Amino acid sequence: MCEHHHATRHTLCMQCDLLVALPELRHCHKATCPRCGTTLTTEWDEPRARPTAYALVALFMLLLSNLFPFVNMKVAGVTSEVTLLEIPGVMFSEDYASLGTFFLLFVQLVPAFCLVTILLLVNRVKMSLSLKTFLARVLFQLKTWGMAEIFLAGVLVSFVKLMAYGDVGIGSSFIPWCLFCLLQLRTFQCVDRLWLWDDIAPAPLPATPLRVGVPGIRQGLRCCPCCAAVVAADNPICPRCHTKGYIRRRNSLQWTLALLVTSILLYLPANILPIMITDLLGDRMPSTILAGVILLWSEGSYPVALVIFIASIMVPTLKMIAIAWLCWDAKGHGKRDSERMHLIYEIVEFVGRWSMIDVFVIAVLSALVRMGGLMNIYPAMGALMFALVVIITMFAAMTFDPRLSWDREPESSHEES
Ligand SMILES: [Zn+2]
Ligand SMILES: [Zn+2]
C-alpha cells in the first residue's frame, strides 16, 4: 500500500533519511519523524503576517539598541558608558580585529541579514527566482551563526563579574536589545523551512514511486541539503534550488575529523594562555578560563561560576568527545544504537554555540572597564583561540552527516503496512 499513498507531500528526514508522508496538519501542529523524532514541518497560523510583524519590530528594536548607551559602570566616581557598537570598536583598537569582526557578524549582522531576508521572502517581494533561492539558501545556512541571545547572556554574566568592583547599570538600549533577542528568535520559529521552499517553487516530483517508511538510500532517493526536496540520488543538482548534493555528504567523516583535530590543537593554547588581562591600579593580572571560574566561585557567585564552567570547559570538552565518538560509531564500530547517537548529535548541535558566552563576556568587560589609571581590562590571545575552538567545532558538527549513524540500522523496522 505504500506505493499508493494519498498524502500530497513527502519528505526525507534530514537527520535519519526516512521517507515520510506528511499528513494534512491543523494550525500550529507539527509533524515529527517517526524514527528519530526530528520536527519535519510545522503548520503556522498566518505564515506571512506573523513573521513579517515580528521581523519588523525586531529590526526596529535593533535600531533603537544601537542608538543609545547600552551599559554603564561607576567606580569611585568615575563613570564609563558604552554603546553596542563601541564593544567591537574597542576590540579593533586593541589589535583584536578578528574578535571584533566575529562580534559584529554573530551578534548584529547575521541576525539582521536573516530578518531582512525573511521579510523579503515571506512577502514575495518581486525578484528573480535565482535570487530568491540564493537568499533562502543563505538564510538557512546562516541561522545557527546568529548569537544575539548568547551575547545577552554574556552581558548578564559580566554584570555579576563587575558587581565586585563597582556599580553596573543598564542604559536605554538594553531593554530594546532584550526585546530584539526575543523577537528574532520568534521570527525564525514562525518560518517553516518546507513551507518557505514550497512557497518559492513547488517541490520537484521524483519519477520513481515512493516507498514510505523506507530510508531514501534504499530506494535511490536523496534529500536536498538545502531545500529538503526529495531528489533522485543519481541527480547531483537539485531541480528546485540548484544546490549540488550527493546521497551522503562527501568525505563527511574526513572533514569532521580534520576539523576536530584542529580544534583540539587550538584548545590547549585556549586554556593555557590568558583570555584577558585585568589592570588594577597599574598591577597587570592575566587570567585564564579556569582562573576566571575559580575567582567567581571564591567570590560566592556559584550559579555564574557554574554557568561559565559548563559553557567554557565542560561543553567544549564533551563536544569534542561526542564528535569523535560519532565518527567512530559511524565508521561501524561500537554498539548499534542509532537513537542514542542521534540524541548525542542533537545535544552537540544545540549547545555548541553557547560556548561563545565567555568570549562575549570578555568583549563586554574590555569595552566597559576603561577607568583611566584605576582599572582596565584588555582581551588576550586565549580569547581568540577559544573563539576559534568554538567556531571550528561548530563546523565539525555541521560537516558530520547524521544519516551515517542510521544507515547501519536493519531494514524495514519502520515500514508502514
Ligand atoms: Zn528522522
Ligand atoms: Zn534543493
Side-chain angles (χ1 to χ4, degrees):
M1 100 145 230
C2 307
E3 271 92 333
H4 310 286
H5 218 277
H6 291 295
T8 42
R9 292 200 300 169
H10 290 85
T11 190
L12 281 166
C13 174
M14 285 216 167
Q15 301 285 327
C16 74
D17 202 32
L18 192 76
L19 188 86
V20 184
L22 294 172
E24 277 299 325
L25 288 172
R26 276 181 296 143
H27 281 318
C28 300
H29 280 231
K30 60 181 186 177
T32 53
C33 171
R35 176 149 77 154
C36 69
T38 307
T39 301
L40 298 168
T41 183
T42 312
E43 185 79 27
W44 289 105
D45 257 348
E46 307 280 353
R48 288 177 212 285
R50 256 197 210 210
T52 307
Y54 286 133
L56 281 177
V57 183
L59 283 169
F60 181 63
M61 289 299 153
L62 180 64
L63 178 74
L64 283 185
S65 48
N66 275 297
L67 290 179
F68 308 106
F70 187 61
V71 283
N72 58 58
M73 184 182 176
K74 281 190 206 93
V75 181
V78 187
T79 308
S80 162
E81 198 171 53
V82 284
T83 62
L84 260 182
L85 281 177
E86 273 166 1
I87 296 173
V90 169
M91 301 231 143
F92 278 101
S93 61
E94 293 290 339
D95 280 341
Y96 282 95
S98 43
L99 276 180
T101 315
F102 289 151
F103 186 91
L104 268 183
L105 272 176
F106 297 155
V107 176
Q108 296 222 32
L109 294 179
V110 167
F113 173 85
C114 289
L115 288 174
V116 173
T117 308
I118 287 177
L119 276 179
L120 293 176
L121 291 176
V122 160
N123 291 294
R124 302 186 125 165
V125 173
K126 254 206 161 84
M127 49 185 158
S128 68
L129 187 66
S130 55
L131 182 62
K132 269 190 185 176
T133 49
F134 172 75
L135 283 178
R137 210 156 79 190
V138 177
L139 172 69
F140 288 107
Q141 274 164 1
L142 279 184
K143 219 172 131 182
T144 39
W145 297 97
M147 300 184 181
E149 66 278 10
I150 303 174
F151 169 64
L152 185 62
V155 175
L156 297 178
V157 169
S158 28
F159 277 3
V160 176
K161 281 199 168 194
L162 288 175
M163 277 192 299
Y165 301 104
D167 293 329
V168 276
I170 55 171
S172 330
S173 274
F174 190 78
I175 300 294
W177 181 260
C178 296
L179 292 173
F180 166 73
C181 290
L182 278 177
L183 287 164
Q184 55 108 22
L185 284 177
R186 193 81 187 111
T187 315
F188 283 124
Q189 215 188 14
C190 302
V191 178
D192 182 67
R193 187 185 189 130
L194 287 187
W195 175 84
L196 188 66
W197 276 109
D198 284 346
D199 191 56
I200 292 170
L205 285 173
T208 48
L210 304 172
R211 288 193 293 147
V212 174
V214 176
I217 198 167
R218 298 219 173 97
Q219 43 181 325
L221 297 170
R222 68 177 179 89
C223 179
C224 172
C226 170
C227 72
V230 182
V231 187
D234 47 12
N235 183 3
I237 305 287
C238 169
R240 172 157 67 173
C241 66
H242 309 293
T243 308
K244 234 182 165 178
Y246 302 95
I247 193 148
R248 291 291 174 265
R249 253 171 240 164
R250 285 214 152 170
N251 305 324
S252 161
L253 290 181
Q254 285 90 329
W255 270 107
T256 310
L257 279 173
L259 290 167
L260 180 67
V261 170
T262 316
S263 61
I264 292 171
L265 290 178
L266 286 170
Y267 192 54
L268 292 174
N271 277 288
I272 297 166
L273 293 174
I275 50 168
M276 63 178 193
I277 295 165
T278 313
D279 184 345
L280 199 64
L281 298 167
D283 192 13
R284 290 169 75 87
M285 292 176 293
S287 61
T288 58
I289 296 174
L290 193 62
V293 174
I294 294 171
L295 182 71
L296 276 170
W297 190 266
S298 63
E299 280 170 355
S301 325
Y302 304 118
V304 181
L306 265 180
V307 166
I308 293 292
F309 178 75
I310 292 171
S312 307
I313 296 172
M314 233 171 84
V315 165
T317 316
L318 285 180
K319 188 169 176 179
M320 286 172 194
I321 295 171
I323 293 174
W325 188 14
L326 281 169
C327 288
W328 185 71
D329 176 87
K331 275 202 154 175
H333 304 278
K335 276 188 277 172
R336 300 191 171 199
D337 192 349
S338 308
E339 245 153 277
R340 193 182 54 193
M341 291 323 286
H342 178 76
L343 188 70
I344 292 171
Y345 178 78
E346 293 268 276
I347 295 171
V348 163
E349 272 278 88
F350 179 75
V351 294
R353 322 151 55 231
W354 283 89
S355 303
M356 220 42 163
I357 192 167
D358 220 15
V359 177
F360 291 141
V361 170
I362 295 161
V364 174
L365 291 183
S366 56
L368 189 58
V369 185
R370 292 287 138 134
M371 303 287 176
L374 213 58
M375 184 183 175
N376 288 291
I377 290 179
Y378 305 99
M381 205 54 192
L384 177 59
M385 294 290 159
F386 189 74
L388 287 175
V389 169
V390 179
I391 292 169
I392 293 172
T393 45
M394 278 174 75
F395 274 119
M398 281 160 117
T399 53
F400 180 76
D401 196 329
R403 295 170 293 191
L404 293 173
S405 312
W406 294 91
D407 285 347
R408 299 184 297 121
E409 283 256 303
E411 195 156 357
S412 79
S413 49
H414 288 268
E415 193 150 4
E416 282 184 13
S417 48

